[in-house]
Amino acid sequence: MTSVVRPVVWAEDHLKLLDQRLLPQQERYLECRTVEDVAAAIRGMAVRGAPAIAIAAAYGLVLAVRRDLDSYPQAEQVLAQARPTAVNLRWALERMRGVIPRSPQTLLETAQRIHEEDLQQNRRMAEIGAALLPRGVRVLTHCNTGALATGGHGTALGVIRTAHAQGKLEQVYATETRPWLQGARLTAWELQREKIPVQLIADGAAAFVMAQKKVDWVIVGADRIAANGDTANKIGTYALAVAARRHRVKFMVVAPGGTFDLRCARGADIPIEERAAAELAEFQGHPVAPAGLAAYNPVFDVTPAALITAIVCERGSLLSPTARTVAALLRRRSSLS
Ligand code: MRU
């Protein structure tokens, strides 16, 4: 059941990242031999998805320390700045910082543990999330949250995979997810490979598909969850949550413990990444807007906790999240430890 797609591969003395910019047409790995290579791959979206970024960054520190033990603080800074919204990146860097002594071998073992644990957490979340779904469920998902975005199996897509394996899943609607098309290029590719019934829809079609009563649950991942349950995820997630509430469709967020950031009291405290205007004004190098046009390109948005039916993490699930229930969830021991 667990997907064999491997976006991040440690190869003895370097890191291999499946270049997600080339999918689905080409499956080609980038070779990263320095921490700068890894930071550039994260910035450039060769590797993306909050958990996969965190895993890649952990291996990036290993590459830095293997060259020069004293480069650690600078390497950490370069990686921390690569993408601002996904807090899993900072979580992984902080976990690596806690490793004493910081020998290349102990750092490598910690990076490998972060990688392996992510897969286990995803499997656990998938069981918990799928248990909330009825038989014959029709799901809409956004962006890519699958094996490509994680250490394997996926967050939201992990729940979808497990629901399919349990014979519960009738249909998945995958949004295109403009402007990077993670839904069309990556989610649809992952689901099609596993023969999970999927139909691609334009982002703008989602509310209408809900109005047509074709969707029971929207299931998405998260790049950061504030202490009160407000959730940052790929731009367009908030619009899906608003439409879901309007049409009485349930809304699930699936994310591991490392996605919660108690330093952010509410969603407004979460830094939102803005990317280049060219990502909107061009498509694969071809202009699709007048030359020189200004564009505003926030790539994440915040869904208020009040619009979320359930948050699922490896410690369990919580319905209608609030600051009190988020704190209680995070106090629970992980069923994996
Ligand atoms: O810009 P991306 O492709 O890194 O955005 C990814 C998402 O928004 C995912 O939904 C998110 O990372 C959470 S699930 C792995």
Side-chain angles (χ1 to χ4, degrees), residues 248-273:
R248 296 194 170 85
V249 169
K250 295 190 170 115
F251 193 92
M252 184 191 299
V253 173
V254 186
T259 311
F260 289 83
D261 184 2
L262 300 184
R263 286 176 267 202
C264 291
R266 57 191 67 79
D269 300 329
I270 299 176
I272 297 295
E273 180 181 3

Side-chain angles (χ1 to χ4, degrees), residues 2-16:
T2 293
S3 164
V4 291
V5 182
R6 295 176 71 205
V8 183
V9 180
W10 178 256
E12 301 282 324
D13 62 347
H14 65 282
L15 183 66
K16 286 174 31 180

Side-chain angles (χ1 to χ4, degrees), residues 22 39 45 67 91 125 134 143 263 290 305 311 314 321:
L22 304 178
M45 307 273 286
R67 289 194 158 206
W91 171 88
M125 293 191 296
C143 196
R263 286 176 267 202
I311 295 182
E314 73 281 5

Side-chain angles (χ1 to χ4, degrees), residues 136-141 171-174 201 205-219 240 244 247-251:
V137 69
R138 297 147 322 151
V139 169
L140 187 150
T141 192
Q171 181 66 43
V172 182
Y173 295 97
I201 59 169
F208 185 60
V209 175
M210 290 185 216
Q212 290 181 313
K213 302 201 182 308
K214 291 179 187 285
V215 181
D216 305 298
W217 277 86
V218 173
I219 307 183
L240 292 174
H247 297 292
R248 296 194 170 85
V249 169
K250 295 190 170 115
F251 193 92

Side-chain angles (χ1 to χ4, degrees), residues 69-124:
L69 205 55
D70 295 332
S71 70
Y72 194 94
Q74 199 195 337
E76 197 187 89
Q77 207 178 355
V78 169
L79 289 164
Q81 288 166 354
R83 291 196 71 193
T85 301
V87 76
N88 311 56
L89 171 56
R90 195 179 73 194
W91 171 88
L93 297 177
E94 284 173 3
R95 182 152 166 201
M96 294 290 277
R97 198 191 298 149
V99 176
I100 298 171
R102 283 193 215 144
S103 73
Q105 187 53 30
T106 50
L107 282 171
L108 175 59
E109 285 163 12
T110 307
Q112 288 171 325
R113 212 169 304 130
I114 288 173
H115 196 166
E116 175 56 28
E117 281 172 11
D118 188 66
L119 174 58
Q120 290 170 12
Q121 287 168 349
N122 290 344
R123 288 191 180 133
R124 181 77 194 115

